[in-house]
Amino acid sequence: MKATHEHEWEAAPGLPSALPHGEHVVWQGAPDWRSLAVHAFHVRKAALYFAVMLGVQTLNLMDASGTIDWKPWWVAASLYTLALGLLAGTAWLSARSTLYTLTNKRVVMRIGIVLTLTFNLPFKRIAGAALKPYAGGRGDIALALYPEDRIGWAHLWPHQRAWHVTHPQPTLRCLPEGAQVGAQLLALWQAATVGESIRRPETPRASTHTPQGLMA
C-alpha cells in the first residue's frame, strides 16, 4: 500500500516508526466507509428523522384548500440533503485517513482526519475483545484495555465502542471481514501472551491463557 501525501512521514503505511527486530505486519485494513456512515455517523437515522420533519412541514404548509407553499419545503429539503452529504463525506474522509494494523506483537491504529494520531496497543495490554457483526460480513472489534491504560474517549472518536465513556474501548470499526480479522487477532493474542499471567478487567487477580473473548 502506497502512503498518501499526508502520511509520507510514516516509516511504513500505518506505522510511525520502523518495526523492531522480530516483529512483522500480519494484516492491515480500513473501515468500509458506507458501513461507517451508517453505524458511526448514523446517516440512516438522520435521513429518517429528516424525512419525518419534511412530512410534518408539508402538513404545516398546507392551507385549508390543500394548497402547499413549496418554497420553504424545498429550502428545508436542500439543507437536510446538505447535512446528510456532510455526514457521508466525513465518514468517507474518516475511513480514508484510517489504517488499522495487526503485527505479531500489537494492534496499531492510525486515525484522524485533520490531526493524525497513532495508538500502539500491545497484545499484552489488551484484556479482552468483543466482536459486533453487521450485515455483509462487516463488523466492529472492540478492545478492552486495563484501567491504567485508559485512552481519552474524544481522542478515539469515532473509533471507540459506543456507550463506554468512563473506560473507552479502542475499536476497529466497520471492517469488511470482521469475523476473519477477529479470529486472526485472537490467534495473534494467544501467541503473544502464551505463558503470561493475563488479568481480566473484572477480576484483576485472575490468571488465564485465553482472552476474554471475541463475542457479539
Side-chain angles (χ1 to χ4, degrees), residues 46-204:
L48 179 60
Y49 173 78
F50 291 153
V52 172
M53 289 295 97
L54 283 175
V56 172
Q57 188 172 13
T58 301
L59 295 176
N60 291 334
L61 292 172
M62 186 181 299
D63 60 23
S65 64
T67 303
I68 299 175
D69 180 7
W70 290 105
K71 185 177 180 179
W73 189 95
W74 281 111
V75 171
S78 299
L79 292 175
Y80 294 158
T81 302
L82 177 61
L84 292 174
L86 289 174
L87 282 175
T90 304
W92 181 82
L93 287 172
S94 181
R96 182 178 180 274
S97 61
T98 296
L99 188 59
Y100 305 130
T101 303
L102 299 184
T103 77
N104 57 320
K105 301 290 185 181
R106 55 182 160 157
V107 178
V108 183
M109 300 173 62
R110 185 248 278 158
I111 62 176
I113 298 175
V114 178
L115 177 62
T116 300
L117 298 175
T118 302
F119 295 103
N120 289 285
L121 310 174
F123 289 124
K124 295 179 181 180
R125 302 305 306 163
I126 295 177
L131 171 65
K132 183 178 181 180
Y134 297 124
R138 300 174 183 84
D140 291 349
I141 301 176
L143 307 175
L145 307 179
Y146 294 117
E148 59 267 30
D149 297 324
R150 183 179 182 275
I151 301 175
W153 187 92
H155 294 156
L156 289 168
W157 188 89
H159 308 272
Q160 86 296 327
R161 190 175 184 179
W163 309 114
H164 286 67
V165 179
T166 304
H167 299 288
Q169 296 186 7
T171 302
L172 312 185
R173 296 299 303 264
C174 302
L175 299 178
E177 298 178 344
Q180 293 89 326
V181 177
Q184 197 167 30
L185 189 151
L186 175 60
L188 292 170
W189 188 96
Q190 291 174 327
T193 58
V194 62
E196 297 278 341
S197 178
I198 305 299
R199 296 184 291 117
R200 296 176 183 267
E202 297 84 0
T203 54

Side-chain angles (χ1 to χ4, degrees), residues 29-49:
D32 175 82
W33 79 267
R34 295 176 182 83
S35 182
L36 193 68
V38 171
H39 299 291
F41 292 87
H42 306 289
V43 170
R44 187 179 296 167
K45 294 176 183 176
L48 179 60
Y49 173 78

